[in-house]
Amino acid sequence: MRATAIGIDIGGTGIKGGLVDVLSGELIGERVRVATPEGGEPEDIARVVTEVIEQLDAPADVPVGICFPSSIRHGVTMLAANISQRWIGFEAEKFFEKELGRNIHFVNDADAAGYAEVIYGAAKDQKGLVIMTTLGTGIGAAMIYDGVLIPNAELGHLEIDGFDAEKRASGVVREREGLSYPEWAKRLQRYYSHVEMLFSPELFIVGGGVSKSHEKFLPLLELRTPIVPAKLFNKAGIMGAARLAFDLE
C-alpha cells in the first residue's frame, strides 16, 4: 500500500491540493485548484479546503497537511499580511480539525515548500544554511540548516530602504506595477544582497509560480551565494505539507 498524505496549499489567490506519494514525492492523480475566497475569512477558506479534499477522494484516515501564509506557533497563526486580520492569534489548527473532521498538521507555506525541497528537490543533501524564498502574493522564506527546518523565518517582512521587502519585490508587485524582468531583478538584487549580508547562506532557492520563468530574472542577479530555482516549482507547498503531516502522524 502506498505511503500517502494530502497536501493543501492556501495562497493569496488560489487554494491548491493534491494526494501525494510521500516516498517518491509525486502527485497521485491531478492537482485541484480553487480560487481563494475574497477577504480570506477563516470560514470561507475552510469551506473551500473541504471542497478540495472531497475532490481528491482520499480515504478518511489519510494524513492532511495544510500550509498557510503566516508564521505559526503551536497551530496558532500569528500574522495576517495578505489575508483577513482575524487570522492574527487564531487557533487555526483546532479550527480546521473541527471543520474538516480530521486530524491535520498546520504549517507556514514557505516552510512547507522548503521542507519539500530538502526531501525531494534542490536542497537535498545540501549542508549548511539554505534559504528558500517564494515569490508570489508576498515573499515567503524558509531556513534549513543541515537538512533541519528552522520554522517561521519571516524574511519577506525585512525592512529595506524604509519598505517592507515584499511590498517592493514580490511577484504580485511585479505584475501590479507592470515591471519588466530586468526592472524587477533590480529590486530582487537589493533584497537578496541584504539577506545574503545578514545570513551568509550556502544556497538560495527561489520558488513560487514565477520560478517557472527563472531564466528571465535569476541570471540577472549578482550574488556570492549560488541561487537556483526550486525543483518542485509551485508544487512544493503541497508536497511539503503532505510530507510533514505524514512524518508527524
Side-chain angles (χ1 to χ4, degrees):
M1 189 171 182
R2 279 175 166 174
T4 60
I6 293 171
I8 303 290
D9 184 355
I10 299 172
T13 57
I15 296 175
K16 303 177 289 289
L19 183 63
V20 177
D21 181 328
V22 297
L23 298 183
S24 67
E26 297 291 334
L27 283 175
I28 301 169
E30 296 296 320
R31 186 189 74 162
V32 176
R33 185 186 188 281
V34 179
T36 302
E38 188 173 350
E41 297 293 339
E43 294 82 5
D44 294 333
I45 287 181
R47 172 179 50 77
V48 173
V49 169
T50 300
E51 293 173 4
V52 170
I53 291 176
E54 287 175 350
Q55 289 185 54
L56 295 173
D57 195 27
D61 60 347
V62 171
V64 178
I66 299 177
C67 64
F68 189 78
S70 171
S71 57
I72 297 166
R73 292 179 60 191
H74 310 297
V76 177
T77 47
M78 308 303 293
L79 297 174
N82 299 295
I83 47 179
S84 167
Q85 296 299 296
R86 285 181 57 205
W87 290 96
I88 299 174
F90 187 72
E91 292 196 351
E93 191 165 88
K94 289 183 179 179
F95 173 76
F96 273 84
E97 286 183 340
K98 180 180 177 181
E99 293 294 309
L100 301 178
R102 293 171 177 256
N103 292 327
I104 67 166
H105 182 69
F106 214 74
V107 63
N108 171 266
D109 55 353
D111 284 345
Y115 192 70
E117 290 293 330
V118 167
I119 301 297
Y120 311 114
K124 188 174 182 179
D125 301 324
Q126 174 69 49
K127 295 297 184 182
L129 179 63
V130 176
I131 296 179
M132 177 169 179
T133 54
T134 56
L135 303 175
T137 306
I139 297 178
M143 301 177 73
I144 302 104
Y145 188 80
D146 283 354
V148 177
L149 177 66
I150 305 166
N152 295 324
E154 290 288 340
L155 302 184
H157 298 293
L158 286 171
E159 184 178 315
I160 301 176
D161 300 330
F163 294 92
D164 194 62
E166 68 176 25
K167 301 299 183 185
R168 294 275 296 163
S170 73
V172 162
V173 167
R174 179 187 67 84
E175 295 174 357
R176 183 186 303 134
E177 297 187 18
L179 299 175
S180 66
Y181 281 103
E183 288 171 334
W184 188 43
K186 291 179 181 179
R187 298 189 185 188
L188 293 176
Q189 178 71 52
R190 181 73 183 94
Y191 173 70
Y192 285 109
S193 293
H194 189 69
V195 175
E196 182 180 59
M197 179 272 294
L198 290 174
F199 296 102
S200 299
E202 298 291 335
L203 178 68
F204 281 121
I205 302 173
V206 178
V210 75
S211 61
K212 293 180 181 179
S213 303
H214 62 87
E215 72 283 351
K216 296 179 180 178
F217 62 94
L218 288 189
L220 302 178
L221 303 180
E222 297 182 4
L223 301 164
R224 297 186 305 276
T225 305
I227 185 165
V228 300
K231 286 191 175 180
L232 300 175
F233 296 115
N234 213 24
K235 297 187 297 184
I238 291 174
M239 299 297 183
R243 181 62 185 249
L244 280 165
F246 184 84
D247 287 350
L248 296 171
E249 180 75 0

